[in-house]
Amino acid sequence: MTELPAPTEPAAFWEARYRDTDRVWSGRPNALLVREVADLKPGTALDLGCGEGADAVWLASRGWQVTGVDISATALERAALHAADAGVGDRTAWARHELGRTFPEGTYDLVNAQYLQSPVAFDQQGVLRRAAEAVAAHGTLLIVMHAGWPSWQTEPPFEAVFPTLESVLAELALPDADWSVETAQTVRRTSVSPDGEEGFREDNVWRIRRL
């Protein structure tokens, strides 16, 4: 197994993470994305931290024109192949950004930020504020993050701060006159450990619409 680089080097860390295995993620879209976006009219979408492209490909298959962004070139290569295999290559574009340092230009009808949580240096608050700025008029900002470790995780692999529903809204500080919070919810789902122990994990989800 490839030895991961020091946690002070985010780009090298994530590139090694993807190169270390043929596939990191399941290839299926995140369930809370599906739940929250299924009723939205397709338009332009920005998928932040797109990884191997499952969310972007799902959105494209439903008629969205999607730009997927990730820090890892290897992840983006796999995402592009996934899109081509799914027949939606013409509705997807891919760009490498180390979010927190660079950010895509333009505005989008949907900005999707799924699990932007990292064991290495990452300006989460700054990126989420930029994500809100990238939402077009009448568009939607969707944020999903883990609310804590799985119930079976007795020894966390690294120190982590898990934002609460209230803390993210406070950090974003979006004016009530310009935004409507449509979802702010903690969702519990089944989680099974690598050893087969059954448990649960909770995620927080925010769907916020620009008026």
Side-chain angles (χ1 to χ4, degrees), residues 4-15 17 71 98-99 116-124 158-160:
L4 295 179
T8 54
E9 302 172 359
F13 177 91
W14 286 109
E15 187 60 24
R17 177 79 170 87
I71 193 173
E98 185 172 339
L99 297 174
L116 292 182
Q117 296 165 285
S118 174
V120 294
F122 179 64
D123 181 13
Q124 184 185 80
F158 57 89
E159 293 185 7

Side-chain angles (χ1 to χ4, degrees), residues 65-197:
Q65 192 71 37
V66 189
T67 298
V69 172
D70 203 89
I71 193 173
S72 166
T74 296
L76 292 171
E77 290 172 3
R78 294 177 185 174
L81 288 172
H82 186 179
D85 290 344
V88 294
D90 60 335
R91 292 198 291 276
T92 55
W94 312 98
R96 185 182 177 278
H97 286 273
E98 185 172 339
L99 297 174
R101 294 188 177 183
T102 63
F103 198 91
E105 296 181 355
T107 58
Y108 302 81
D109 299 308
L110 170 66
V111 177
N112 180 45
Q114 299 276 323
Y115 304 108
L116 292 182
Q117 296 165 285
S118 174
V120 294
F122 179 64
D123 181 13
Q124 184 185 80
Q125 295 179 16
V127 171
L128 291 180
R129 285 192 290 268
R130 290 292 303 275
E133 293 171 2
V135 177
H138 311 298
T140 297
L141 172 63
L142 179 63
I143 303 170
V144 178
M145 287 195 280
H146 296 306
W149 295 108
S151 59
W152 44 261
Q153 187 85 62
T154 57
E155 297 183 4
F158 57 89
E159 293 185 7
V161 176
F162 294 99
T164 65
L165 292 172
E166 296 77 13
S167 68
V168 167
L169 293 175
E171 288 159 5
L172 289 173
L174 301 174
D176 291 342
D178 300 326
W179 294 84
S180 174
V181 179
E182 298 180 327
T183 302
Q185 182 185 17
T186 301
V187 178
R188 179 174 290 190
R189 58 183 171 83
T190 300
S191 176
V192 180
S193 77
D195 297 329
E197 180 181 349

